[in-house]
């Protein structure tokens, strides 16, 4: 048992394989950046102005 043995950790390192004796490291997961919603304040003010103009008439 040693570097040439497929079943040992050292053998797997040498051969570059993975298995029960040599697990793969899990990739770190990340959360995507939150999407910021832009407010449409201009549209809201425009509708308010129209409503005010209608009420004045």
């Amino acid at each position: 048992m040693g570097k040439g043995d497929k079943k040992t950790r050292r053998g797997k390192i040498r051969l570059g394989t993975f298995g029960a004796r040599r697990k793969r490291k899990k990739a770190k997961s990340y959360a995507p950046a939150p999407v910021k919603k832009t407010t449409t304040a201009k549209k809201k003010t425009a509708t308010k102005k129209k409503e005010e103009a209608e009420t004045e008439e």
Side-chain angles (χ1 to χ4, degrees):
M1 294 213 274
K3 290 182 183 178
D5 191 7
K6 294 180 183 178
K7 293 185 178 182
T8 62
R9 181 177 178 271
R10 186 56 50 193
K12 290 197 175 289
I13 290 170
R14 185 166 186 269
L15 294 170
T17 59
F18 295 91
R21 298 284 177 191
R22 183 174 178 235
K23 302 286 185 184
R24 289 182 190 258
K25 289 186 179 180
K26 291 184 179 179
K28 292 183 181 180
S29 63
Y30 67 94
V35 178
K36 293 183 181 179
K37 293 183 179 179
T38 57
T39 57
T40 54
K42 292 181 181 178
K43 289 183 181 178
K44 290 180 182 177
T45 57
T47 54
K48 285 183 181 179
K49 287 181 183 177
K50 287 182 182 178
E51 289 175 5
E52 290 175 4
E54 290 175 4
T55 55
E56 290 176 2
E57 292 177 358

